[in-house]
Amino acid sequence: MKVYKVLTTAVVVSMLGSVVAACGKSDSASPSTSPSSGSNSSAPAAKQEIKINFTAEPPALDNSKATTNASFTMLNAMNEGLYRLDKDGKPVAGLAKDMPKISDDKLTYTITLRDNLTWSDGSPLKASDFVSSFQRTLDPGTKAQYAFMVAWLKGGEALLGAKTPDEIKAKKAELGVKAVDDKTIEIKLEKPVAFFTQLLAFPLFFPQKTDEVTKQGESYGKDADKVTGAGPYILKEWAHEQRLVFEKNPKYWDAANVKLEKITMNIVKDRAGAVNLFETKEADLTEINGDFVKQFEGKPEYTIKKELTNSYLMFEQKKAPFLANKNIRQALTMAVDRKAHVATVLKNGSVESTGLVPVGTSDGNNGDFRKLSGDIQPKYDPAKAKELLAKGLQELGMTQLPSFKLTTDDTEGGKKSLEFIIAQWKQNLGVTAVADAVPHELRVDRQHKKDYEALIALWGADYNDPMTFLDMWTTTSEFNETDWSNAQYDELIKKAETEKDPATRAKQLADAEKILMDEMPVGPLYFRSKVYAKRTNIDGLFFPSFGPEFELKWVSIK
């Protein structure tokens, strides 16, 4: 069953002052200029190339199916939506000629495309390429986990729930998006979404080259020659698990303001190797953590990225039936010294979790959710964890837990986290777990298929509201990959989805989080920040709060 995320009036109001700004008829198109004040219009003398260390291989560059930061980052470089977000999170016209014309009831958006738009191969880009993209994302056969956002279109949920080919075809025709002509798109929503213009900059809403999608079938987006974009750069090479190489797209509508000629994204999972590449000038931008953070503190290259991202343990209750016991899950979570984990393993500014929802997340009522809900996650307590383990084993009629696998990405940081957590379980509980470090794409695939026992995962906000972290654990959510179910939790989330009073809604979400911290289907570990080493001659690069890891369109080398 598909997950349908519903935003209420309370969320819409809260979003006006959060990560993304509200849209309206008064929006005006902004010129496509670099967000940096230090740039100038003359051609830079420096070689316009940049080499970036990236820690994960994108599973696929199919914007209907993308769910990972790696995919969003690459897609954002090679393609574009109707709008693109600037450094302040505000939309500027992308493939659209200007900002949308919005009806008085805020339900209809009419958007005109720029003149003479083409795909990077020179073929015409039409309004119908957006229509077919939205329809494909909502087609049940696509199995798009992020389809809930496109389902805000009128008829979106009906298309997601269609069963037969004839019904799917009929619901696509009724979907609230149509190409009025080759340059005009009309979008109708089920209910007003004040920040919908900003959402149209999210990769999920990018166009797709319809004939290419049909031709490539299941291979679409899996290699450089199997996906075409209309963004500032062209994906020229994709050596899997090694690098992705982008070059400037001369057919991009704003090519005159794109300065970079070449971007090389090297997949580098080893911390020391990444830093060595930076120090030898084989990389211009790299994430740093562990002991290397101190090495760069105080230097001009030191750059902090603040995020609304959490990390947590996931417990698959059918794959490993003993994890269906609440006391076992509580014990495993409580036996991990979260403060020591961030201090000795991560060393990147991340902080220990005090609940599921990260610090800095709005409560939807002009406040901070963490302050409203409080520090509700049980503290590290090995003695209490042992008691809970003993109680759980007694309830299960067992004398000890069987050995089980703990899975995560095969980055150096992922491997070190595995070592730390497994050692904590052994030391504090006498429990044996086996490290299972696998490539990012495989970890995501196993997680989605629920083919794991315990797993370390991350989730970044789609918007600044606690709902983006909480509704994924309802019984029917596709992102609930634990097989946990709780009727009281489901009811609280359902009420919050339709509650119009912000204070009441915030309380409902806080109560829902308390159930999570009691039942512990997931065991929070930390709230993430990142530290980067960035070459000082890089101008115009910024880190969005969600979606792509960084924005590259306006980058130049001084």
Side-chain angles (χ1 to χ4, degrees):
M1 183 177 291
K2 295 291 182 289
V3 53
Y4 306 150
K5 291 197 175 185
V6 181
L7 291 195
T8 67
T9 302
V11 181
V12 169
V13 172
S14 75
M15 291 298 298
L16 301 181
S18 61
V19 173
V20 291
C23 64
K25 287 187 177 179
S26 61
D27 286 343
S28 59
S30 300
S32 178
T33 57
S34 167
S36 169
S37 60
S39 61
N40 58 62
S41 59
S42 62
K47 192 174 184 180
Q48 295 302 302
E49 296 185 6
I50 187 172
K51 296 178 181 178
I52 300 172
N53 292 338
F54 207 83
T55 59
E57 163 97 348
L61 297 180
D62 177 345
N63 62 283
S64 286
K65 298 181 179 180
T67 62
T68 69
N69 174 277
S71 294
F72 295 148
T73 301
M74 308 304 169
L75 284 165
N76 195 58
M78 63 174 291
N79 207 351
E80 186 164 80
L82 295 163
Y83 304 99
R84 185 175 286 267
L85 299 185
D86 66 14
K87 64 183 177 64
D88 298 316
K90 296 180 180 180
V92 295
L95 298 180
K97 183 178 181 179
D98 49 27
M99 306 312 285
K101 295 179 181 178
I102 306 173
S103 61
D104 291 339
D105 61 6
K106 312 298 183 187
L107 293 177
T108 302
Y109 288 63
T110 304
I111 301 168
T112 302
L113 298 181
R114 295 179 182 276
D115 295 334
N116 304 315
L117 287 177
T118 70
W119 294 96
S120 61
D121 64 2
S123 58
L125 189 154
K126 302 177 181 180
S128 57
D129 293 318
F130 284 92
V131 175
S132 60
S133 176
F134 296 179
Q135 290 175 337
R136 176 172 176 263
T137 299
L138 287 169
D139 188 319
T142 304
K143 299 179 181 179
Q145 283 189 286
Y146 261 87
F148 62 84
M149 285 188 179
V150 187
W152 294 335
L153 273 62
K154 187 175 181 62
E157 292 189 11
L159 175 52
L160 271 174
K163 303 298 183 184
T164 67
D166 287 344
E167 185 182 4
I168 291 171
K169 183 177 180 181
K171 296 305 179 184
K172 283 185 177 180
E174 296 170 5
L175 185 65
V177 59
K178 68 178 180 178
V180 178
D181 53 47
D182 285 348
K183 288 182 54 182
T184 309
I185 303 166
E186 182 183 88
I187 300 172
K188 291 184 179 292
L189 302 178
E190 287 282 4
K191 60 183 65 178
V193 180
F195 51 93
F196 189 69
T197 303
Q198 285 79 4
L199 287 181
L200 292 173
F202 193 64
L204 185 72
F205 291 91
F206 286 1
Q208 295 172 3
K209 196 167 184 291
T210 309
D211 58 347
E212 182 177 51
V213 174
T214 302
K215 177 182 177 181
Q216 298 298 341
E218 289 300 314
S219 297
Y220 176 68
K222 293 187 177 180
D223 287 292
D225 62 350
K226 293 179 174 61
V227 61
T228 302
Y233 306 102
I234 301 172
L235 178 60
K236 300 294 288 186
E237 177 189 352
W238 187 355
H240 290 280
E241 292 295 336
Q242 296 181 52
R243 65 186 170 275
L244 293 90
V245 179
F246 299 85
E247 294 180 2
K248 180 176 176 177
N249 176 11
K251 299 185 184 301
Y252 178 54
W253 69 268
D254 198 27
N257 287 305
V258 176
K259 305 305 180 185
L260 285 181
E261 294 290 342
K262 183 178 181 180
I263 303 165
T264 302
M265 299 270 202
N266 289 310
I267 308 302
V268 183
K269 302 175 184 180
D270 176 68
R271 292 176 181 173
V275 171
N276 181 63
L277 288 170
F278 186 84
E279 291 182 330
T280 57
K281 298 188 177 180
E282 290 299 318
D284 304 299
L285 179 70
T286 189
E287 182 186 350
I288 54 175
N289 46 27
D291 294 331
F292 296 108
V293 172
K294 186 171 291 186
Q295 178 180 328
F296 282 89
E297 280 181 338
K299 294 184 178 181
E301 295 89 354
Y302 184 86
T303 304
I304 295 178
K305 180 189 180 186
K306 293 291 185 181
E307 299 183 315
L308 295 179
T309 299
N310 61 4
S311 177
Y312 44 85
L313 296 163
M314 295 177 66
F315 304 111
E316 217 312 297
Q317 299 185 24
K318 291 184 179 178
K319 183 79 171 181
F322 58 89
L323 294 176
N325 183 277
K326 178 177 81 171
N327 289 306
I328 299 294
R329 299 192 300 267
Q330 287 179 334
L332 292 171
T333 303
M334 199 179 296
V336 177
D337 188 340
R338 306 190 299 277
K339 183 178 290 187
H341 182 216
V342 298
T344 64
V345 177
L346 303 179
K347 303 179 184 177
N348 62 357
S350 296
V351 297
E352 64 174 310
S353 59
T354 53
L356 182 72
V357 179
V359 170
T361 304
S362 169
D363 66 358
N365 190 33
N366 299 315
D368 185 283
F369 183 79
R370 207 53 286 134
K371 292 181 179 178
L372 171 71
S373 187
D375 296 346
I376 60 172
Q377 182 176 356
K379 295 184 181 298
Y380 168 62
D381 188 339
K384 179 65 174 176
K386 283 183 180 180
E387 293 177 9
L388 290 167
L389 176 62
K391 183 177 180 182
L393 289 171
Q394 184 178 26
E395 291 170 346
L396 294 171
M398 302 170 66
T399 57
Q400 65 179 24
L401 291 185
S403 174
F404 61 94
K405 289 183 179 179
L406 177 61
T407 303
T408 198
D409 292 0
D410 63 351
T411 61
E412 184 174 351
K415 292 176 182 177
K416 287 185 178 294
S417 287
L418 283 177
E419 292 173 4
F420 181 87
I421 293 169
I422 288 173
Q424 290 273 288
W425 286 345
K426 189 67 173 179
Q427 174 184 326
N428 296 327
L429 298 176
V431 168
T432 299
V434 178
D436 183 32
V438 299
H440 176 71
E441 181 178 3
L442 180 56
R443 190 270 296 169
V444 172
D445 182 64
R446 286 187 184 176
Q447 180 178 329
H448 181 52
K449 293 177 178 177
K450 302 179 184 177
D451 184 20
Y452 71 92
E453 293 171 307
L455 181 144
I456 304 173
L458 288 148
W459 184 263
D462 300 320
Y463 46 91
N464 190 1
D465 185 89
M467 187 66 86
T468 191
F469 296 100
L470 296 173
D471 67 352
M472 60 193 291
W473 307 112
T474 60
T475 302
T476 57
S477 168
E478 278 203 359
F479 289 99
N480 181 357
E481 295 153 336
T482 67
D483 282 313
W484 174 75
S485 178
N486 183 284
Q488 184 183 1
Y489 184 86
D490 291 349
E491 183 64 21
L492 282 168
I493 295 298
K494 184 178 180 180
K495 287 180 178 178
E497 287 175 341
T498 56
E499 178 57 57
K500 294 183 179 180
D501 178 66
T504 300
R505 177 181 176 276
K507 176 65 165 53
Q508 290 167 339
L509 293 176
D511 289 343
E513 189 191 35
K514 287 181 173 64
I515 292 175
L516 279 180
M517 291 301 93
D518 177 57
E519 288 280 319
M520 209 64 78
V522 292
L525 294 170
Y526 59 88
F527 303 145
R528 190 175 74 173
S529 291
K530 286 186 176 180
V531 178
Y532 274 87
K534 178 173 73 74
R535 200 73 64 196
T536 57
N537 64 343
I538 297 176
D539 189 39
L541 182 142
F542 62 89
F543 298 96
S545 299
F546 62 89
E549 182 70 10
F550 32 68
E551 174 60 68
L552 295 169
K553 173 182 173 175
W554 292 287
V555 172
S556 64
I557 308 301
K558 296 187 293 184

